[in-house]
Amino acid sequence: MTPCISSLHIYPVKSLAGIDVSRSLLTAEGLAHDRRWVITDEKGEFMTQRSCARMATLVPAIDDHHLILEAPDGRHLFIALTPPEVAPSRVRIFGTECQGLDEGDEAARWLSDFFERSVRLKRVPRDNQRRVSPERLGDHVARTGFADGYPLLVTSTSSLAALNERLKARSLPPLPMSRFRPNIVISGTPAFAEHESTTLAGDQLSLWLCKPCERCRITTINQSSGDIAVPGEPLKTLMTMGHVAGGGAFFGENAVVMQGDGQWLHKSMSIRMD
């Protein structure tokens, strides 16, 4: 079977639900519209499903002019895709300082009502300077929006199948790929081949697979309901699998763009892993 892209996913607002897309424009900072917005408290500290699982139940959509958020009760919030004309303000993600453009009081009120706490919605500024880990990338300069640390996450269908086989052996239910919130899912490769490769490549495309992704409690949250079905899983099972040297609950590879800025990625697109 020829390796190819099996599916593509974006998460416009950090920690909210994702959108499955059939194609996506690749930018130097990841897939277009991916994690370009973040919800913060009044001091700029980011919100995450790690502490607020309800975030998974806010569903985004993108049309030609708006980011649209839908609450479980059917209420909608519309945010213009055109950036607001405001000065950047503080955003703090895992102790790292960066900047965001505040989307205004209407968005803040809508989201504050949903979360029953005072929050703000901010987006990545045009001149984004948030740099991906220099200690990992060395002289290569890459930037990301409001993702945890890297602009892309690559997983594979075979790796999920291997995990689900291990879960089955432990009498646990299988998991969908949505638990791992990937951007690019590949098929046609051996299980965990993404950890043995350094490059995902295609025609005029090169992604550096630069760091295994150590997973957190978000993987325990049902991404449709916000519920936790089996506490601690799949983290406990991943830690028994040994597919990454050194141990830990790893699934997927963090990646940065080396070549391909401005190219459209699409489902069934042939790739290779080197």
Side-chain angles (χ1 to χ4, degrees), residues 6-258:
S6 175
S7 59
L8 294 163
H9 313 268
I10 60 172
Y11 311 85
V13 184
K14 184 177 180 63
S15 261
L16 299 193
I19 304 173
D20 303 341
V21 295
S22 60
R23 67 174 193 153
S24 183
L25 182 68
L26 183 66
T27 79
E29 297 181 8
L31 299 185
H33 301 305
D34 184 56
R35 281 168 275 225
R36 306 309 284 180
W37 286 267
V38 64
I39 299 169
T40 76
D41 64 16
E42 293 286 354
K43 295 181 179 179
E45 196 75 29
F46 85 112
M47 283 183 64
T48 169
Q49 283 187 38
R50 296 167 181 84
S51 57
C52 182
R54 285 187 70 211
M55 295 182 80
T57 67
L58 278 180
V59 178
I62 300 278
D63 67 16
D64 290 340
H65 304 288
H66 299 93
L67 164 71
I68 306 163
L69 301 184
E70 182 178 2
D73 64 4
R75 293 183 303 117
H76 291 83
L77 173 67
F78 290 80
I79 300 294
L81 293 182
T82 304
E85 296 295 332
V86 296
S89 56
R90 178 179 185 261
V91 174
R92 185 175 171 88
I93 299 176
F94 292 122
T96 300
E97 299 278 343
C98 56
Q99 298 288 306
L101 303 179
D102 194 293
E103 292 287 8
D105 291 342
E106 180 182 350
R109 282 192 296 269
W110 193 93
L111 289 164
S112 296
D113 179 64
F114 177 79
F115 290 114
E116 300 179 330
R117 57 179 290 193
S118 183
V119 300
R120 309 295 299 185
L121 180 66
K122 299 183 181 183
R123 79 163 73 195
V124 175
R126 288 190 180 94
D127 60 343
N128 177 38
Q129 297 299 311
R130 187 175 179 227
R131 189 172 172 183
V132 177
S133 177
E135 58 270 21
R136 172 68 63 166
L137 301 189
D139 293 335
H140 179 72
V141 176
R143 292 184 170 84
T144 186
F146 294 132
D148 280 357
Y150 291 80
L152 291 164
L153 178 66
V154 177
T155 64
S156 72
T157 56
S158 57
S159 298
L160 180 64
L163 170 60
N164 280 332
E165 280 297 314
R166 185 66 63 92
L167 289 169
K168 181 180 179 181
R170 303 180 74 180
S171 300
L172 294 169
L175 298 178
M177 188 64 84
S178 60
R179 286 289 188 95
F180 301 97
R181 298 173 65 84
N183 295 117
I184 301 172
V185 181
I186 58 176
S187 61
T189 60
F192 304 114
E194 58 269 30
H195 299 307
E196 304 298 325
S197 307
T198 57
T199 305
L200 185 156
D203 184 25
Q204 299 182 335
L205 171 69
S206 179
L207 307 181
W208 178 9
L209 304 176
C210 52
K211 183 178 181 293
C213 185
E214 188 163 15
R215 309 314 301 232
C216 69
R217 70 181 300 272
I218 290 179
T219 59
T220 70
I221 299 170
N222 182 311
Q223 292 298 299
S224 297
S225 67
D227 297 326
I228 297 177
V230 183
E233 289 293 354
L235 299 174
K236 293 177 182 178
T237 298
L238 283 170
M239 291 182 71
T240 71
M241 297 187 69
H243 51 281
V244 172
F250 292 95
F251 192 89
E253 274 289 312
N254 293 297
V256 297
V257 179
M258 303 299 287

